[in-house]
Amino acid sequence: MNKSDAERLSGMLDYLGYEQTDVPKQADLLIIVTCSIRKLSEDKAYSAIGVWGKWKKTRPNLKIVFCGCVAQQQKEDLFKRAHYVDMVLGTHRLYEFPELLKRVNAGERVCSCDEVVYPEKDFPINKAKGYGAWIPIMEGCNNFCTYCIVPYTRGRERSRDSEAIIKEVKSALKDGYKEITLLGQNVDSYNSNGMNLSALLREINSIEGQFRIRFVTSYPTDITDELINTVIELDKVCEYFHIPMQSGDDYILKRMNRRYDVKTYKAICDKLREKVKDVTITSDFIAGFPGETEEQFQHTIDAMRDLELDYSNTAAYSPRPETVAGKWTDLFLSEEVKYDRLNRLNDCVKECCLASNKKFVGKEMEILVESFEKAKGTINAKTIITGRTRNNKIVHVPCDRDLSGEFLNVKITGAKTWYLLGELI
Ligand code: SAH
Ligand code: SF4
């Protein structure tokens, strides 16, 4: 979501006649799009602007803009902490940026974090180079999981108008992007003018041309039969589901305010594996949630193995003071315990990922080639192409030509922990 915000801000700057520099120290304007999902990301943002503040001492005309989730939380208070910041721009006000920048350039210091959503405007978007375009379809969240700050920083759930989304997809395809990822905190809750995610996928699938469609993130219980059947039916929609489980223990799931138990989550995975050929299911897990016992943590390890999850993102629980669980200070676990559990969780992710990769050896799979580079490690070739399968596996294939941007069928010849090896057919 932050990447997408940054691409939009960069588009607005182009529109305003700014040019990007590779030397931040010489820039006239520096912008940071911040994340507050964990304390570490917040700390990184503060240390970045600390450096910029020092540069400003010798270059007083430098303008500094602070946006994203930390901005939304801090609002005017940010000026107390960092008096050298010129603009604090909240997550609901992105499209107000050009107007606010004019005021900043006229010498004002501005903060705009009003939670009334500022209307979307038709500025150009500077999408990152490559073949994958990330397109937000909804924002915010109503779920209030007890550990999570998103509902406080991105506000209530709201879906983008489907026409604006289709227009953005068409424009990305025209610019040569070959993989469209629809993005949102809970994409399955998409609902605009009676159109749900399945209907939106249908619309996008009907656009002409060879390209792929993905969507992230899915809330487990929002994966309906209609959505599964839509994925099976539509040729461009990939066989890939990212469904964060967070914990493999029923009591912890309740404490997290997740609305499913392990049995329900397993039933969803079973259904997907039964119905969708070659589907991969990836997840997110938190290690060391307040009050988590060793036994409850073991249930998470067991779940990851039993469910044969193909890959999982992991994180040590990071207290966010604004949230419900962030106030359960008497239940917090020590850093040592949290990071020990995180390490064991990561070992299990590696094990599951390798087991998952091995299942595909010998198969023929379609890849979208993303790069061409010198071969490294044990691959016996001078150069390789690297691509992604429909189910989101990375494949390295010895090849002497740059085939970036092409769809190719390859034969999978080997499996490593994080990638597959293949050969051209
Ligand atoms: N909407 C998605 C998740 C979005 S947040 C869902 O409901 O599953 C992305 C991930 O960040 C979460 O899945 C969670 O694993 C992690 N996360 C969120 N808050 C966290 C916290 N306080 N500490 C550690 N990890 C956290
Ligand atoms: Fe955060 Fe996802 Fe829960 Fe919403 S559903 S509160 S974004 S973890």
Side-chain angles (χ1 to χ4, degrees):
M1 199 59 89
N2 280 15
K3 204 168 140 183
S4 161
D5 283 357
E7 290 175 351
R8 276 155 216 275
L9 285 166
S10 165
M12 292 183 219
L13 287 167
D14 271 6
Y15 170 83
L16 294 170
Y18 279 76
E19 267 173 46
Q20 201 170 325
T21 171
D22 294 330
V23 194
K25 216 173 174 174
Q26 289 167 11
D28 301 309
L29 172 66
L30 288 163
I31 308 180
I32 186 157
V33 187
T34 60
C35 169
S36 59
I37 199 90
R38 294 196 279 272
K39 187 169 181 297
L40 183 68
S41 49
E42 205 175 297
D43 292 346
K44 277 187 187 166
Y46 288 133
S47 83
I49 57 162
V51 173
W52 297 356
K54 286 194 189 115
W55 294 350
K56 198 164 173 166
K57 281 188 188 145
T58 51
R59 297 185 46 228
N61 289 332
L62 167 65
K63 304 290 181 206
I64 300 177
V65 176
F66 194 87
C67 18
C69 292
V70 185
Q72 188 62 42
Q73 271 169 276
Q74 293 293 318
K75 304 186 173 68
E76 272 95 359
D77 284 352
L78 201 270
F79 294 133
K80 285 186 214 146
R81 179 178 192 135
H83 54 89
Y84 42 82
V85 167
D86 298 280
M87 185 198 305
V88 177
L89 182 66
T91 53
H92 307 271
R93 319 294 293 177
L94 198 72
Y95 291 94
E96 203 181 358
F97 174 72
E99 290 159 46
L100 297 177
L101 188 60
K102 263 188 218 149
R103 286 170 51 194
V104 162
N105 284 336
E108 238 185 287
R109 188 155 85 168
V110 294
C111 170
S112 180
C113 294
D114 198 333
E115 283 174 24
V116 179
V117 179
Y118 196 81
E120 187 170 330
K121 299 222 173 127
D122 211 5
F123 289 113
I125 305 167
N126 272 349
K127 292 206 182 296
K129 287 202 180 71
Y131 299 97
W134 294 71
I135 299 187
I137 62 166
M138 49 99 58
E139 261 247 68
C141 181
N142 297 342
N143 285 332
F144 288 94
C145 302
T146 53
Y147 51 83
C148 182
I149 201 158
V150 169
Y152 305 90
T153 56
R154 291 273 170 181
R156 292 297 68 71
E157 199 173 281
R158 55 201 180 273
S159 295
R160 263 181 97 195
D161 180 55
S162 58
E163 275 174 31
I165 298 169
I166 306 278
K167 195 172 158 205
E168 194 175 330
V169 170
K170 284 187 176 160
S171 143
L173 294 172
K174 209 170 119 239
D175 291 342
Y177 291 92
K178 304 263 166 104
E179 199 168 270
I180 302 293
T181 302
L182 306 179
L183 190 62
Q185 295 302 340
N186 302 292
V187 272
D188 322 55
S189 313
Y190 180 80
N191 191 338
S192 169
N193 301 324
M195 196 183 243
N196 65 9
L197 179 61
S198 296
L200 182 68
L201 289 171
R202 252 173 233 291
E203 281 283 313
I204 298 175
N205 196 79
S206 70
I207 301 173
E208 256 176 53
Q210 191 179 16
F211 65 97
R212 290 171 173 177
I213 309 168
R214 301 184 188 280
F215 52 89
V216 284
T217 300
S218 298
Y219 192 88
T221 44
D222 291 344
I223 298 181
T224 58
D225 285 346
E226 184 197 8
L227 181 65
I228 299 175
N229 291 334
T230 306
V231 171
I232 296 169
E233 184 196 319
L234 301 180
D235 60 325
K236 290 169 185 155
V237 181
C238 294
E239 298 73 24
Y240 170 71
F241 287 80
H242 182 63
I243 324 171
M245 187 185 196
Q246 312 298 0
S247 166
D249 181 85
D250 284 345
Y251 178 73
I252 294 293
L253 285 172
K254 258 207 185 89
R255 298 282 288 167
M256 288 176 161
N257 193 30
R258 301 288 285 184
R259 301 185 310 274
Y260 52 87
D261 56 13
V262 174
K263 208 169 132 208
T264 314
Y265 186 93
K266 183 174 185 317
I268 296 159
C269 291
D270 288 349
K271 197 190 275 182
L272 286 173
R273 299 230 193 257
E274 185 197 314
K275 290 184 131 189
V276 189
K277 189 174 173 281
D278 285 344
V279 71
T280 50
I281 305 174
T282 60
S283 192
D284 294 350
F285 287 96
I286 297 176
F289 184 74
E292 182 189 66
T293 64
E294 174 59 27
E295 194 187 352
Q296 288 161 343
F297 170 71
Q298 273 303 329
H299 291 159
T300 295
I301 297 269
D302 295 344
M304 205 189 266
R305 279 200 190 117
D306 292 350
L307 298 166
E308 298 182 23
L309 294 173
D310 296 279
Y311 174 77
S312 298
N313 299 310
T314 58
Y317 170 72
S318 172
R320 308 285 58 216
E322 299 76 3
T323 62
V324 174
K327 298 183 176 71
W328 298 339
T329 44
D330 49 334
L331 294 176
F332 285 178
L333 304 182
S334 69
E335 294 297 294
E336 202 186 337
V337 168
K338 282 196 291 185
Y339 281 91
D340 171 60
R341 288 186 190 169
L342 179 64
N343 285 337
R344 285 188 280 151
L345 206 53
N346 287 341
D347 287 343
C348 191
V349 174
K350 274 191 204 160
E351 186 192 303
C352 289
C353 203
L354 181 60
S356 156
N357 284 348
K358 281 184 175 165
K359 287 187 207 160
F360 296 98
V361 176
K363 288 202 178 208
E364 224 179 275
M365 299 177 93
E366 180 201 84
I367 58 165
L368 165 59
V369 182
E370 292 175 354
S371 64
F372 173 67
E373 64 222 321
K374 275 203 182 119
K376 284 182 249 150
T378 53
I379 301 174
N380 191 15
K382 275 201 177 120
T383 50
I384 53 161
I385 48 172
T386 297
R388 226 169 253 274
T389 62
R390 286 175 63 96
N391 61 13
N392 216 21
K393 297 274 181 195
I394 292 169
V395 190
H396 295 313
V397 182
C399 180
D400 56 11
R401 278 167 304 148
D402 184 357
L403 300 175
S404 296
E406 290 194 25
F407 291 94
L408 296 177
N409 282 329
V410 296
K411 177 147 187 221
I412 305 303
T413 54
K416 302 280 179 188
T417 301
W418 305 124
Y419 59 90
L420 296 169
L421 293 166
E423 61 187 28
L424 295 173
I425 300 175

